[in-house]
Amino acid sequence: MNLFPQSFQSLEQAMSTATLKQRVHTANIANVDTPNYKSKQVSFQSALDTAIHRQPLASIKTEPQHIAFSTENSESSHLIKENNSTKITPNGNNVDMDAEMAELAKNQLWYNALTERVNGKFNSLRSVIDGR
C-alpha cells in the first residue's frame, strides 16, 4: 500500500529540479567576475527524461507496513549544461547578470507554487485523517 498518491512523487521530482536550478543560477551569479567561467543551465529535456524514466530505489523492508524509500537524483550532473555559445566580457566570462537574476526570480516563484501545492495536499490528508 502506498500512503501517498503518485502526485506527491511528481511534486517531489519537480521540487528537486527547482532546487537544482536554484543552485546552478546562484553558482552562475557567484562566478560573474571569474575569468573564463562559462554559465551553466539545467537542461529541461534531460530533467524531464530523468523524471519519466526514474526507477524506484531498491530497498529492503523489514515490515510490510514500512513506506518505500524515495528516489534521490544522484546523477544531477548530466542535467547541467555549460553555455559556450556567448562571450559577453573580455575576460571570457559569459554570465549575464540580468538574465540570471530573472531566471532566479522565475524559479523561486515556481518553487513557491510547488510548496503551496504540497501544503495543500498535506492539508487534504490532514482533513481526511481528522474527519473534518
Side-chain angles (χ1 to χ4, degrees):
M1 180 181 125
N2 190 359
L3 182 62
F4 299 110
Q6 179 67 30
S7 60
F8 273 105
Q9 293 168 355
S10 299
L11 287 168
E12 177 188 10
Q13 292 170 357
M15 289 179 79
S16 294
T17 302
T19 301
L20 177 63
K21 286 180 78 167
Q22 194 80 0
R23 286 190 314 212
V24 169
H25 290 303
T26 55
N28 287 343
I29 291 169
N31 287 294
V32 70
D33 292 325
T34 304
N36 297 317
Y37 178 83
K38 301 299 180 203
S39 65
K40 294 169 183 55
Q41 60 190 25
V42 175
S43 168
F44 174 77
Q45 187 62 45
S46 295
L48 180 62
D49 290 343
T50 299
I52 290 171
H53 296 101
R54 181 175 285 172
Q55 298 296 319
L57 182 66
S59 60
I60 299 172
K61 296 180 187 180
T62 56
E63 292 290 329
Q65 293 87 9
H66 286 175
I67 298 173
F69 293 107
S70 68
T71 57
E72 192 66 34
N73 190 2
S74 60
E75 308 234 353
S76 62
S77 61
H78 72 281
L79 300 176
I80 301 171
K81 306 293 182 199
E82 190 172 272
N83 182 4
N84 291 313
S85 62
T86 60
K87 186 174 181 181
I88 294 175
T89 60
N91 68 356
N93 186 311
N94 69 348
V95 176
D96 181 357
M97 187 63 121
D98 292 333
E100 292 298 328
M101 293 300 287
E103 287 297 318
L104 198 63
K106 184 169 81 172
N107 190 59
Q108 185 63 45
L109 289 171
W110 175 245
Y111 189 84
N112 288 346
L114 289 169
T115 56
E116 287 295 320
R117 190 66 200 123
V118 169
N119 284 336
K121 292 275 189 187
F122 279 121
N123 286 336
S124 296
L125 282 175
R126 185 177 298 122
S127 294
V128 169
I129 291 169
D130 291 344
R132 294 185 207 172

